[in-house]
Amino acid sequence: MSKPLRITAVKGMNDILPPESARWEWLEAVVRRAMAAHAFRNVRTPIMEHTQLFTRGLGEVTDIVEKEMYSFEDRQDQHGHADHLSLRPENTAGVVRAAAEHNLLYDGGKRLYYMGPMFRRERPQRGRYRQFHQIGAEALGFGGPEVDAELILLAAHLWAELGIRHWRLELNCLGQPDERRGHRAALIAYFEAHQGQLDEDARRRLHSNPLRILDTKNPAMQALVEGAPKLIDHLGEASRAHFQAVQDVLAANGIAFAINPRLVRGLDYYNLTVFEFITEHLGAQGTLCGGGRYDYLIEQIGGKPAPAVGWALGVERVLELLKEEGVAVPDPVPDAYAVIPDAGGVPQAMRCLRALRARGVAVQMHAGGEAGLGSMKSQFKKADGSGARFALIFGADEVAAGEVTVKALRDGAGAQARRPLADPATWADSLKSPA
Ligand code: ATP
Ligand code: MG
C-alpha cells in the first residue's frame, strides 16, 4: 500500500494561526495608528515584479540578487514573449516603481507605508524565513535631513507603542557617489594588500563591489574588516552637515545612537544616512529594522530623479522580541457566548446575536453536531473555554417570554438578569468589556 499523500507547507514558509495570528493583528493595528499619527499613507503593490526591477534597483552584486530571489520565466504570450518575474525580496523597489509609474510625486513628496510578505531563499532558522513579513515606511521626494530624522523617530515611536525596550540604534553616513569612489579606491588598495585573508565571496567582490565586503558575516574576516579605511574619512562638507543635522534631531529627542562606520546595509541603493535598529535579545538575527536614504534609486529604475528615505522592519523578529520582553498582547475573547439548550430557540437566538453584533458586541454562537446542540453542561463548558464574560441563555422559557438570560461567567461581571429580546439596544453595551 502506498503511503497517503501528505502535503506540507513549503520549507521556510510559515502558517500563522490563532492564537498567534491575534498578535499579528494587534501589531498591525499599533502600526496603523503610528503611521496615521505621522501622516503616512498606505500603499499596496504586487508581490511579483519584473526581475529587472530588483537587479537594477538592488544591485547585481548583492546577496539577494545573486542567490536569494525566487525568479522564474512566465508562460509565453501569443507572440512568444515571456516575462522574467520575481517574488519581491523587499518592497522599496516596488514602491518606487509604483510612484514613478503613476507620477505620484507630481504635486510634492509623499509619505507611504506598507505591510506584507517578502520572499528570500535563505537558510531557514530562528528569525530568518523564506517567506517573511516586512512593514516599511518610505518618504519619497524629500531631500532634507529632517526627514531622515523623522523616519528614525517614527521607528522609535513604534517601539514605544509596542512596549519594546531592548533596542539600540546604529547610524552611518554613506556619503554621495563621488565620495564613495574615493573610499572605494582606498578599500580596494587595502584589501589587495591583504589578499590572503579574503574569503571566496570577498575575493569575488573585491573589484565589483568592495563595499559589500564590509557587510560580511564571516567571523574570520572581522578583524580585517575592522581595520579597513572608513568612508566617514572621505566625506565632504555637505554630507557631513547632513549627517550632523540628523544627529542633532535625535539628540534633541533623547534618542541614543552609536555611529558604526562599518554599517553599509545589504543593498546598493543607499546614500547619506543609513541606520539599523538592533536588539541583543534575539541571538544572531538581531536586526529589527534597517533603512536609509536612497536618493538615486528612482532614476536608477527610470523615474524622474527624486530623493527618498525609508526603512523596513521584520515583523517576525519584532513579534519574537515582544515575546522575549514579556509584552502582554491581548488575545481577543468574545464578550458573550450563546447557550441554546433547545434547538427551537436557534432562530430567535440568532436574531438576537445579529442585533448585538451590529451594536459592537462580540458574540460566539454555540454550534452543535449531527446529534444536536448538546447538553447544557457541555455548552457551558464551551462557554467557559471561550473566555467570554457572559453566557446568553436562550432557554425555552426565556424565549417564550421574549427574553434571554444573561449570566456572568467571570467574577465581577454582575448578577444574573433577564433581558428583552425585542430591545437589545437597551442592554447591548452592558456586555462589552471595559476598554
Ligand atoms: P539580515 O542582515 O538579518 O539578513 P537584511 O539586511 O537582509 O537583514 P533588510 O533587507 O534590511 O534585511 O530587511 C529589513 C528587515 O527585514 C531586517 O532587519 C529583518 O528584520 C527582516 N528580514 C530580512 N530578511 C529576513 C528573513 N529572511 N526572515 C525574517 N526577517 C527578515
Ligand atoms: Mg539578509
Side-chain angles (χ1 to χ4, degrees), residues 63-64 68 120 122 128 132 215 217 266-267 317:
D63 278 347
I64 293 180
E68 296 174 0
R120 297 184 192 177
E122 302 194 72
R128 197 175 289 289
F132 63 102
D215 199 28
K217 295 202 165 85
L267 310 173
R317 292 185 195 179

Side-chain angles (χ1 to χ4, degrees), residues 64 90 120 122 127-130 132-134 217 265-267 270 276 285 287-291 312-317:
I64 293 180
E90 58 95 65
R120 297 184 192 177
E122 302 194 72
R128 197 175 289 289
Y129 310 99
R130 290 181 172 182
F132 63 102
H133 297 75
Q134 285 185 340
K217 295 202 165 85
R265 312 270 311 122
L267 310 173
Y270 291 106
E276 285 187 352
Q285 269 58 251
T287 309
L288 296 171
C289 173
L313 65 79
V315 177
E316 284 83 355
R317 292 185 195 179

Side-chain angles (χ1 to χ4, degrees), residues 102-122:
H102 304 286
N103 197 19
L104 209 60
L105 305 183
Y106 80 100
D107 62 347
K110 294 284 177 296
R111 292 176 169 86
L112 305 170
Y113 81 94
Y114 59 81
M115 312 189 191
M118 308 295 156
F119 303 84
R120 297 184 192 177
R121 201 172 186 294
E122 302 194 72

Side-chain angles (χ1 to χ4, degrees), residues 28-50:
E28 287 160 5
V30 171
V31 168
R32 286 196 185 93
R33 267 204 313 277
M35 294 298 175
H38 290 75
F40 278 60
R41 305 285 302 264
N42 187 232
V43 57
R44 302 171 189 225
T45 59
I47 61 165
M48 229 185 261
E49 297 274 1
H50 291 287

Side-chain angles (χ1 to χ4, degrees), residues 166-209:
H166 293 105
W167 56 266
R168 61 187 172 80
L169 170 61
E170 289 190 354
L171 290 184
N172 193 17
C173 179
L174 298 184
Q176 300 291 7
D178 55 328
E179 295 159 345
R180 281 156 79 162
R181 272 191 290 276
H183 175 239
R184 184 189 148 100
L187 262 188
I188 293 177
Y190 172 82
F191 285 125
E192 273 178 342
H194 298 86
Q195 278 276 9
Q197 298 174 51
L198 300 180
D199 65 13
E200 194 194 315
D201 259 356
R203 266 198 297 279
R204 194 163 40 78
R205 290 173 173 182
L206 179 54
H207 293 277
S208 57
N209 199 342

Side-chain angles (χ1 to χ4, degrees), residues 50-110:
H50 291 287
T51 299
Q52 245 202 336
L53 174 67
F54 303 115
T55 51
R56 300 231 31 187
L58 277 52
E60 304 265 4
V61 193
T62 56
D63 278 347
I64 293 180
V65 168
E66 280 186 333
K67 41 193 183 199
E68 296 174 0
M69 281 217 290
Y70 286 95
S71 301
F72 63 97
E73 194 169 300
D74 200 1
R75 286 168 201 261
Q76 292 186 353
D77 64 16
Q78 71 264 39
H79 310 294
H81 169 82
D83 286 330
H84 288 272
L85 304 178
S86 293
L87 293 179
R88 62 185 186 189
E90 58 95 65
N91 201 31
T92 298
V95 169
V96 164
R97 193 245 339 117
E101 186 168 338
H102 304 286
N103 197 19
L104 209 60
L105 305 183
Y106 80 100
D107 62 347
K110 294 284 177 296

